[in-house]
Every structure is written in C-alpha cells, then in structure tokens.
C-alpha cells in the first residue's frame, strides 16, 4: 500500500469525524453529514455492482448477486431512516382544558391467561388515573373466562367482559367489548401495562382535532430484556425495543404514519366503527388497525412520553417467540391489506409501512451476510471479488459514515454494532419465520407472551443456541483453513486480497455470534415481581420502638430499607416483624428475610409484606407506577462497547447473586402434599421450601403451566398451606419438577381484605 492511499483514508476519517462533532451543535453540519452518508454509501454500492460481482462460476455469481441485493435493501432502509431523522419532530402537548367538553372514556384491559396479580396492578392503576370518576370506566376483557378474574374485577370496581368463544383472539376480544360499551374514547391496555396517573391528561387533548382517529404513547418496559439481563448490561444499553418505540415512532408521526402497537393507545370510537372495529384475520391486529385508521385523511398522533410501563419478555426464548409472531403478522397484513394498494394512504405512509414490512426480512438478509464469508473460506465460493486497497477506499467511508450518522440519528438509543448483534442473534429464527409465512403460509396459534417468570439457577437454552453453535463451528473450520494456508506449504486460497477481506468479515460476525450464545444463557430470576428503586423517607417500628428509615426499593410483595442508628444492625437482627410507613404507604406489615450492612450504625434489611390491604396495595401502586419518575426517556447506550459486554458477562457469571444467598435459606424436606389446579387435585412431594416458595415433584402432570395459580396443601402442620404461582417446570422422565412462589395473600383472603 502506497502513502497516497493512507493519506486519502486518513482524510476521509478526519472529515467525517469533524462533521460528526460539529453536527451536535449546528444543524447545517448535521445535514451535510447525513447527505455525505447517503452519497458515500451510494458510491460504494455503484462500485460494488460494477466491479466486485464474481464471474468465476455460476454459484459464485449467484452468491455475489444475493449479497449485493442485501446491501441494496439495507441502503433503502438507511434512506428511510434518514428521511425520518432529517428534521427532529415532537408533538406539542394539548391540555384537557382545550376540549369543549370531557368525553366518556372506556379502558379495555385485554387478557387471556396472564397471572391475576399482574392483572390486579393494571386494573387498580387504570382506576387511579386522574380523570372525573363518572366519565372513566375500566373493563377487563377476559378471553380466559376465569371466574376468579371476574370476582377480582368486581371487588376492585372494574367491569368484567367475556364472550362464549375466542374467535380472532385479541382483536375479537376487543371488538366484543366495543359492542358492550359506549364511551366516546376507547383506551386499549395490555394486561401488563400499568398507566401513570397523568396518562389521560397528557394524551386526550389531541382529540381537539376532529380528524384525529387515535393517539399512541410508547410502550416502555421497567424490567430488563434478555439482552440487557443475560449480559449483565442493564445499565449500559437500553431495552432493545426503545429504538423503535421512541425514535422511529416519533419520526413516523411527522408523516402521519404512527404505528398502533397494541397497547397504550386511545381511539375515537366513531373512527373504529367506521372501519368495522379492530382488524381481524391476522395475528398483528394492531398494525392493520392503525393503517386502516390513517386512510381518508384521518390523523394519528404519537405522544413521546413515558405514560405507561410494562414487562418485556423475560426469557430469550419468549422474546424469539414474540418476534416470530410479529414477523408473521406483518407478512399476513401485507397479503390482506397491501399498503401499496389501500386507497387513502399518502406516498410517505405507503413508503413507511412497506419499509416496516421490509424490516422483517432482516433475518434472510443477515443470514446471507453470515454465510458469505463461510462459503469462501470453506468452499472457495466468492461473494465479492476486489482488491483490498480499493475495497478499503470505498468501504471504510461508507462504514464509518454509517456508524456516525446512525449514532447521530438514533439519539444514542442504538448503535450500528449493537444492531448487528441483535440481528445476528435473531436472524436464523426470523429467516425461518419469513420463509414459512411468505411461501408456505403456515398457520400458527396466537400465543400470549409469558410474564412473571422465575427460576433459581442458570439455564443454557440448548435448542435456541443450535444455530449459533453450528455457525460458530463452521467459523472455527474456516479459521483453521486460514491457519493451514499461512503456516504450511499448502495454498488453499488463490486471491489473498479477498482472503484478508473475508478474515475480517468472519471475525466481525463471530463476535456477534458469541454474544448471541451468551444471551442464550438465562440468568436466574429469583423474584416474581420486579423491584422499583425509590427514595422515600419513612419510619419502621418493632418491639415498641420506632426508628427513621429510608426505603430503597419496592415491589408489590417486598421491600428493602435502610436504617441509620447506633444500634441499627443489632435491632434489625433481633426483630422478625416490622411495621413500615413511608410516603403514602401506612402500616405495612413486613416479615424480615435478611439483614445486611458492615457498620453497626448503618444497616439494611429486606422483607416480605404480609396481609396487605387494598388501600396499602393502592399506595404501593401509586409510588411504584402512577407517580414514578421518568428514568426511561433519558436512558442511552453508555459505556456499551462489545468488549465491556464480554467482560461484564464473565464477571457477573462468576458471582453468586445476593438474591441467591438470601433465598438459599431453604429447608430440605420430603413431605407429601396435594396440588389443586383448576379444580383437579394432584398428589405431590415437597422437596424444599422457604418463606417465599417451594419446589415440588409431581408424577404425570401435563396440565400445569407457568403462571398457573395453585393451591398447595402440606400433610404436616408446619408447612404453610397457601396459594402459589407456578414459576418454572422441568420434566425429568415421568416426574415433573415445579417451582412455585407463594402469593402474598390467598385469593380467598383478597376478597375479604379489599371489600
């Protein structure tokens, strides 16, 4: 390589970096960088098409065309993203006072088999939204037709709606509710989405415009998704969905193309009735419904604020199932309502919906990207044919400008490298989803994403990881051939320029594959309810003594608090039960589970709530959800290098979590017991139990599912008969092992305590 080459490369890097840093301050610089990003990538693709398609044989020629096609499709997606990001857009808030009169609002909480404690928090939060009581009605729409849910709804003052069948799944459920209610505005909430107190105050005013058909707020998740959680990277990267929910939806709003995402949305009832209700016949009714509501010059609005929070998929396998459903649903929508053919959509609306559908083909595109260097290094099948210097000259500015432009446009909600990791991890599964749905039209059942998963040990998802293991095995074979080529007299590769390109390429892919393999190692989840960090001053009482305390975190079932006092540690260690009051929470009974702290004058304790009344539960929901600080909007990718992710994973894997130490205090037993599930009684053997849960062994039970509420009764007096929720199930031969978490109060006592 001559000096001139390096001068050109260095000049390219300097210009791009200067533009990137100045773009943070000046709009003109931002526009130049984005324009340059599109121009240099277009030049790269023209060069690729003209100079690099291999002509060494028909197989290499086909491989070259396929690889170029994937890069061209990626470029089209880059154009759309640049259009969305060219001019930042944010809706102005319209207060309720702008409405001539406040409309009646019906809130629909759609459910099928979600745990009742999850439903309870959503129902209570919906009833506590700030809005005139006579104009707000909350309904739980139960497609599971559960008598216990009906009783719970009645006790909370919530309407209960069910129907004889389950036609059209969630969409059919919502349409049935439309026929039984009459509010002018309809709000849809998923069973796990908990609205803040100001949800209606921040959204409803947008209906001052008579043409607005629906208003969408983002789905925000208060738990770590599998990428964050399994990599021990919760504080370094945002939820994988934040990029779409916050950045892309806001960009689409400028073109009246906001996508309805199934929850956290408000609809004008008349607009829904005009299109025949929620769209049916597809498994992603939300996308179709939103698109149909944007025809005929109707308007939609996106309010980019954290107004409701919910649960992201808690296991990697569940995340893949959810994305499989979304992928198939988008293709189904295209077949039934092709955005290019529907009357009443604008050019930009058609473009954005088609781009959204094209996105789900990333699995196919990424698999081509993964297989191309393997084909060359193992089978000598070329996907491109270029000199190394020329490739660097065209590719480097395209790659660097993509990194910088993407970081600028995403507001640090995503990086190109992490996008590569996410896509590589999901690619094998999404490729199968696309191929089977687009060409085989395989029907799948609508499945609700499991919530409230709990397990007490690490699990390696062997079945999920098979594609990564196969691709990594091929990578090792390929690199072994490279070593043989360079260390022996054998010449396995004729074109060393192409060889260097593919070595870099395969290592780049291997890093993402290893991270995908790491995500497949499920971390233990010891808690059935997520803890929320708080900072509340309060008091804790026991043994006739009251001391000031600070509440550090809360869930519906437990608390961690800190006491600063010369005798804090000894006092907390001596007492077993406390009464806690903090903020709006008064007189909560806490059973101590652990005490920690190195200094006598400063100690922390954790405990489990007992006999929680309705008013106390409402106060907990108020603190944790309704009046929570918005810590989610400002989350960005910070110290998020892939190297740091590797380091944190291996460091975190070595440590025994504090929750494991606290929950390891289990009594080993061999006790006969009975399980009552859906009015069927099974014989069981309890193998161990603690204050929070137990592990039992059952023979030939196939009807128990994670999330089921079970009444467990022991044959000995010291075993606490109680209702429990199934957290995990393992099959070992003819025996089934079931892990259960005791509920904080039995279903029967719920009714008495909240009536």
């Amino acid at each position: 390589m001559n000096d001139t080459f390096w001068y050109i490369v260095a000049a390219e890097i300097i210009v791009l970096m200067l533009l990137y840093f100045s773009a943070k301050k000046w709009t003109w610089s931002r526009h130049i960088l984005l324009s340059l990003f599109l121009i240099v990538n277009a030049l790269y693709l023209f060069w690729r098409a003209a100079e690099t398609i291999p002509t060494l044989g028909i197989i290499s020629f086909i491989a070259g065309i396929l690889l170029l096609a994937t890069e061209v499709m990626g470029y089209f997606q880059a154009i759309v993203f640049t259009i969305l990001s060219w001019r930042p857009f944010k809706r102005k808030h319209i207060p309720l006072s702008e409405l001539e009169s406040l409309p009646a609002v019906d809130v629909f909480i759609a459910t099928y088999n979600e745990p009742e404690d999850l439903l309870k928090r959503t129902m209570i939060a919906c009833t506590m939204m700030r809005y005139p009581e006579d104009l707000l009605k909350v309904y739980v729409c139960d497609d599971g037709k559960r008598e216990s849910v009906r009783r719970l709804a009645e006790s909370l003052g919530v309407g209960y709606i069910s129907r004889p069948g389950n036609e059209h799944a969630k969409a059919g459920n919502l349409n049935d509710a439309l026929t039984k209610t009459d509010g002018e505005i309809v709000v849809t909430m998923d069973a796990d989405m908990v609205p803040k107190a100001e949800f209606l105050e921040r959204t409803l005013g947008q209906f001052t415009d008579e043409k607005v058909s629906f208003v969408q707020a983002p789905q925000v998740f208060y738990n770590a998704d599998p990428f964050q959680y399994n990599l021990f990277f919760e504080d370094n990267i945002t939820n994988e969905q934040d990029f779409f929910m916050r950045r892309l939806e806001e960009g689409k709003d400028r073109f009246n193309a906001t996508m309805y995402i199934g929850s956290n949305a408000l609809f004008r009832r008349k607009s829904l009735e005009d299109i025949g209700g929620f769209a049916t016949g597809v498994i992603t009714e939300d996308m179709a419904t939103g698109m149909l509501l944007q025809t005929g010059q109707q308007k939609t609005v996106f309010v980019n604020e954290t107004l409701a929070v919910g649960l992201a998929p808690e296991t990697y396998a569940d995340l893949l199932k959810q994305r499989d459903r979304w992928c198939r649903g988008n293709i189904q929508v295209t077949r039934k309502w092709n955005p290019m053919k529907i009357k009443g959509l604008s050019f930009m609306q058609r473009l954005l919906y088609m781009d959204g559908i094209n996105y789900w083909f990333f699995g196919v595109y990424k698999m081509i990207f993964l297989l191309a260097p393997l084909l060359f290094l193992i089978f000598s099948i070329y996907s491109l044919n270029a000199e190394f210097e020329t490739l660097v000259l065209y590719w480097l500015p395209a790659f660097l400008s993509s990194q910088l432009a993407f970081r600028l446009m995403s507001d640090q909600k995503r990086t190109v490298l992490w996008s590569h990791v996410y896509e590589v991890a999901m690619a094998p599964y999404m490729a199968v989803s696309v191929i089977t749905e687009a060409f085989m039209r395989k029907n799948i059942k609508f499945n609700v994403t499991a919530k409230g998963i709990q397990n007490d040990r690490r699990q390696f998802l062997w079945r999920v990881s098979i594609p990564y293991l196969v691709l990594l095995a091929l990578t090792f074979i390929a690199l072994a051939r490279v070593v043989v080529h360079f260390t022996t007299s054998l010449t396995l590769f004729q074109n060393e320029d192409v060889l260097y390109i593919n070595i870099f390429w395969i290592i780049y892919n291997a890093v993402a594959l290893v991270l995908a393999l790491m995500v497949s190692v499920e971390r233990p989840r010891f808690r059935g309810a997520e803890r929320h960090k708080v900072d509340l001053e309060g008091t804790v009482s026991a043994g006739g003594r009251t001391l000031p305390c600070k509440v550090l975190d809360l869930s519906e079932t437990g608390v961690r608090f800190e006491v600063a006092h010369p005798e804090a540690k000894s006092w907390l260690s001596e007492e077993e039960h406390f009464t806690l009051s903090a903020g709006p929470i008064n007189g909560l009974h806490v059973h101590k589970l652990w005490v920690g702290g190195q200094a006598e004058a400063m100690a922390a304790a954790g405990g489990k709530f007992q006999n929680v009344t309705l008013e106390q539960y409402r106060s907990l929901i108020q603190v944790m959800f309704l009046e929570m600080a918005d810590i989610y909007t400002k989350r960005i990718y910070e110290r998020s290098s892939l190297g740091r992710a590797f380091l944190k994973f291996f460091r975190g894997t070595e440590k025994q979590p504090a929750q494991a130490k606290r929950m390891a205090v289990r009594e080993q037993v061999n006790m006969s017991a009975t399980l009552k599930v859906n009015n069927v009684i099974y014989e069981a053997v309890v193998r161990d139990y603690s204050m929070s849960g137990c592990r039992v062994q059952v023979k030939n039970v196939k009807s128990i599912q994670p999330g089921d509420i079970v009444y467990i009764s022991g044959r000995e007096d010291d075993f606490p008969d109680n209702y429990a929720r199934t957290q995990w199930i393992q099959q070992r031969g003819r025996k089934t092992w079931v892990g259960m978490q005791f509920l904080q109060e039995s279903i029967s006592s719920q009714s008495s305590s909240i009536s």
Side-chain angles (χ1 to χ4, degrees):
M1 298 184 188
N2 55 46
D3 291 342
T4 303
F5 169 79
W6 288 114
Y7 289 144
I8 294 173
V9 171
E12 291 172 344
I13 294 173
I14 291 170
V15 169
L16 288 171
M17 294 302 295
L18 288 174
L19 283 171
Y20 172 71
F21 287 112
S22 61
K24 295 180 179 181
K25 185 175 182 180
W26 293 296
T27 303
W28 63 265
S29 186
R30 174 190 177 94
H31 289 166
I32 291 175
L33 176 61
L34 297 185
S35 299
L36 197 58
F37 156 61
L38 294 178
I39 290 169
V40 297
N41 275 272
L43 290 174
Y44 164 76
L45 288 174
F46 279 124
W47 168 75
R48 282 274 289 109
E51 303 290 339
T52 67
I53 301 298
T55 56
L56 304 174
I58 186 64
I59 296 178
S60 291
F61 179 75
I62 293 172
I65 293 296
L66 287 175
L67 179 61
L68 178 63
T70 65
E71 293 183 273
V72 170
M73 297 308 294
Y75 182 66
F76 285 145
Q77 289 180 324
I79 292 174
V80 173
F81 185 34
T82 304
I83 293 172
L84 293 178
S85 307
W86 188 261
R87 189 174 72 233
F89 178 78
K90 189 172 182 66
R91 286 279 178 178
K92 292 183 179 180
H93 170 62
I94 301 177
L96 291 179
S97 58
E98 294 294 314
L99 293 165
E100 292 183 7
S101 61
L102 294 179
V105 177
D106 292 335
V107 181
F108 295 164
I109 305 169
T111 179
Y112 176 64
N113 62 358
E114 290 84 357
E116 291 172 32
D117 53 343
L118 183 148
L119 271 172
K120 182 181 177 182
R121 81 174 72 127
T122 301
M123 287 190 275
I124 286 180
C126 287
T127 62
M128 294 176 69
M129 290 190 292
R130 287 196 291 266
Y131 202 69
E133 289 186 17
D134 60 325
L135 295 176
L136 177 64
K137 295 181 180 179
V138 179
Y139 300 91
V140 58
C141 307
D142 182 22
D143 251 11
K145 294 172 276 294
R146 291 165 288 178
E147 180 61 23
S148 57
V149 172
R150 184 189 65 78
R151 291 197 303 268
L152 178 61
E154 289 176 353
S155 67
L156 297 175
V158 170
Y160 179 82
I161 297 175
S162 65
R163 54 185 179 140
N166 298 102
E167 295 81 11
H168 302 303
K170 181 180 176 181
N173 190 8
L174 294 173
N175 284 333
D176 177 68
L178 283 175
T179 66
K180 298 173 180 176
T181 56
D182 58 8
E184 182 182 343
I185 301 297
V186 171
V187 178
T188 61
M189 282 286 175
D190 281 348
D192 64 297
M193 276 289 164
V194 185
K196 295 181 69 175
E198 67 266 30
F199 181 88
L200 295 175
E201 294 174 340
R202 302 296 301 176
T203 54
L204 201 54
Q206 299 292 339
F207 287 100
T208 53
D209 188 338
E210 292 295 327
K211 291 186 177 180
V212 170
S213 58
F214 79 85
V215 177
Q216 178 70 63
Q219 288 188 12
V220 179
F221 306 100
Y222 60 86
N223 65 318
D225 70 21
F227 288 98
Q228 295 172 297
Y229 189 74
N230 290 345
L231 295 175
F232 299 84
F233 230 43
E234 299 96 323
D235 297 327
N236 303 92
I237 59 178
T238 70
N239 187 287
E240 187 264 339
Q241 276 294 292
D242 276 1
F243 176 63
F244 170 80
M245 294 291 178
R246 309 307 292 261
R247 189 66 195 85
L248 293 183
E249 280 281 70
E250 189 172 70
K252 292 180 179 185
D253 189 29
R254 180 155 68 98
F255 300 100
N256 193 30
T258 296
M259 183 178 290
Y260 169 43
I261 52 180
S263 182
N264 308 359
L266 304 85
F267 296 86
R268 196 184 298 276
R269 180 183 289 268
K270 184 179 182 305
S271 298
L272 278 174
E273 291 173 344
D274 288 345
I275 64 167
F278 292 91
T280 59
V282 294
I283 57 176
T284 51
E285 80 298 327
D286 42 10
M287 175 195 170
T289 301
M291 183 170 61
L292 295 173
L293 285 171
Q294 287 163 350
T295 60
Q297 297 185 333
Q298 294 185 90
K299 297 179 181 179
T300 55
V301 172
F302 180 68
V303 178
N304 196 1
E305 300 177 30
T306 300
L307 298 176
V309 294
L311 286 169
E314 294 170 295
T315 70
Y316 186 44
D318 283 330
L319 183 143
L320 291 173
K321 290 176 184 176
Q322 182 191 69
R323 303 308 156 83
D324 171 78
R325 185 173 74 245
W326 292 354
C327 175
R328 293 175 185 275
N330 273 258
I331 295 173
Q332 290 174 7
V333 169
T334 310
R335 284 203 298 262
K336 192 168 183 178
W337 296 284
N338 190 326
M340 302 305 293
K341 297 179 180 179
I342 291 179
K343 295 181 180 179
L345 292 179
S346 68
F347 169 78
M348 280 305 301
Q349 286 173 325
R350 297 181 196 277
L351 175 66
L352 292 175
Y353 274 108
M354 289 307 299
D355 176 71
I357 293 164
N358 176 47
Y359 164 79
W360 289 106
F361 284 77
F362 79 83
V364 175
Y365 305 152
K366 190 60 71 172
M367 286 304 298
I368 292 172
F369 190 80
L370 289 169
L371 293 173
L374 292 172
L375 290 175
F376 175 78
L377 294 173
I378 297 177
F379 302 106
S380 296
I381 297 174
Y382 287 67
S383 296
L384 59 83
N385 191 7
E387 294 181 354
F388 186 77
E389 282 190 20
T390 310
L391 176 70
V392 172
L393 198 62
Y394 281 97
W395 172 82
L396 184 62
F399 179 76
L400 183 58
S401 66
S402 298
Q403 295 277 341
L404 299 177
F406 192 88
R407 181 176 287 271
L408 187 68
M409 292 188 289
S410 68
D411 296 330
Q412 291 186 284
K413 292 293 184 185
R414 182 74 69 86
T415 67
V416 170
L417 287 176
W418 275 102
S419 289
H420 175 57
V421 172
Y422 296 142
E423 290 178 2
V424 166
M426 291 187 276
Y429 296 95
M430 295 305 101
V432 171
S433 299
V434 165
I435 292 170
T436 55
E437 185 64 43
F439 302 106
M440 304 177 188
R441 301 196 179 188
K442 179 183 176 182
N443 292 324
I444 64 167
K445 181 181 178 182
F446 182 92
N447 291 310
V448 177
T449 304
K451 307 291 182 183
I453 302 298
Q454 187 179 13
N455 58 68
D456 60 0
R457 59 178 60 85
R458 296 186 72 80
Q459 297 179 6
F460 181 57
L461 306 179
W462 282 102
R463 291 185 180 180
V464 167
S465 64
I466 286 174
Y468 316 137
L469 292 171
V470 170
L471 288 167
L472 283 171
L474 293 174
T475 299
F476 288 131
I477 293 171
L479 291 176
R481 284 173 55 83
V482 171
V483 171
V484 169
H485 174 80
F486 283 115
T487 59
T488 70
S489 58
L490 293 175
T491 302
L492 301 181
F493 306 100
Q494 302 300 321
N495 188 328
E496 293 218 345
D497 278 354
V498 177
L499 175 60
Y500 293 136
I501 293 167
N502 280 276
I503 290 173
F504 169 80
W505 190 355
I506 202 171
I507 292 173
Y508 179 68
N509 288 343
V511 170
L513 285 168
V514 172
L515 278 166
L517 201 62
M518 288 156 55
V519 176
S520 302
V521 182
E522 290 287 351
R523 275 175 66 188
R525 291 181 182 267
F526 297 98
R527 294 182 178 127
E530 292 288 331
R531 286 288 176 97
H532 298 256
K533 292 182 180 180
V534 296
D535 187 8
L536 288 177
E537 299 293 336
T539 60
V540 60
S541 304
R545 190 175 191 181
T546 299
L547 293 179
C549 72
K550 178 180 286 188
V551 179
L552 304 176
D553 62 48
L554 279 172
S555 73
E556 293 107 297
T557 59
V559 64
R560 179 167 66 100
F561 60 89
E562 189 176 70
V563 177
H565 188 273
E567 302 174 8
K569 191 169 184 179
S570 59
W571 179 64
L572 290 173
S573 299
E574 290 171 2
E575 302 293 341
E576 291 296 323
H577 296 86
F578 300 92
T579 300
L580 176 72
S581 296
I585 305 167
N586 289 306
L588 266 174
H589 297 296
V590 180
H591 176 81
K592 184 188 70 182
L593 297 178
W594 60 269
V595 175
Q598 296 180 349
E600 178 68 25
M602 176 67 73
K608 180 181 179 181
F609 298 139
Q610 293 182 324
N611 304 318
V612 179
T613 67
L614 176 59
E615 285 308 310
Q616 290 170 335
Y617 188 80
R618 286 180 180 274
S619 298
L620 288 170
I621 298 300
Q622 178 182 339
V623 171
M624 291 186 295
F625 295 103
L626 274 80
E627 297 178 356
M628 64 185 296
D630 182 7
I631 62 174
Y632 306 99
T633 299
K634 296 180 181 179
R635 281 186 177 173
I636 59 174
Y637 280 64
E638 188 174 32
R639 296 182 300 164
S640 59
S641 68
L642 302 187
R644 181 180 289 272
F646 279 105
L647 190 62
K648 288 197 75 171
F649 175 82
F650 288 110
R651 281 182 176 175
T653 300
E654 291 175 359
K655 296 178 180 178
Q656 184 183 19
Q659 301 100 311
K661 297 175 184 176
R662 296 167 193 157
M663 296 189 70
V665 185
R666 287 183 173 248
E667 184 175 349
Q668 304 297 317
V669 295
N670 188 16
M671 182 193 307
S672 297
T674 58
L675 305 181
K676 186 176 181 182
V677 189
N678 299 322
N679 295 320
V680 179
I681 296 177
Y682 300 96
E683 295 295 324
V685 177
V686 179
R687 294 301 188 186
D688 62 48
Y689 76 94
S690 68
M691 289 297 298
S692 59
C694 65
R695 184 170 53 165
V696 302
Q697 192 181 77
V698 195
K699 288 185 179 180
N700 298 325
V701 176
K702 297 182 179 180
S703 60
I704 299 180
Q705 300 295 326
D708 283 349
I709 303 299
V710 178
Y711 187 77
I712 180 168
S713 178
R715 299 286 173 81
E716 297 183 20
D717 293 338
D718 59 348
F719 183 80
D721 293 2
N722 205 343
Y723 283 94
R725 184 173 68 189
T726 304
Q727 298 297 333
W728 54 266
I729 298 174
Q730 292 181 347
Q731 197 72 37
R732 300 177 187 174
R734 298 184 62 189
K735 295 180 180 179
T736 303
W737 288 80
V738 183
M740 298 182 181
Q741 180 194 21
F742 296 138
L743 299 184
Q744 63 185 46
E745 53 189 21
S746 70
I747 292 175
S748 59
S749 65
Q750 278 183 3
S751 301
S752 60
S753 64
I754 61 183
S755 58

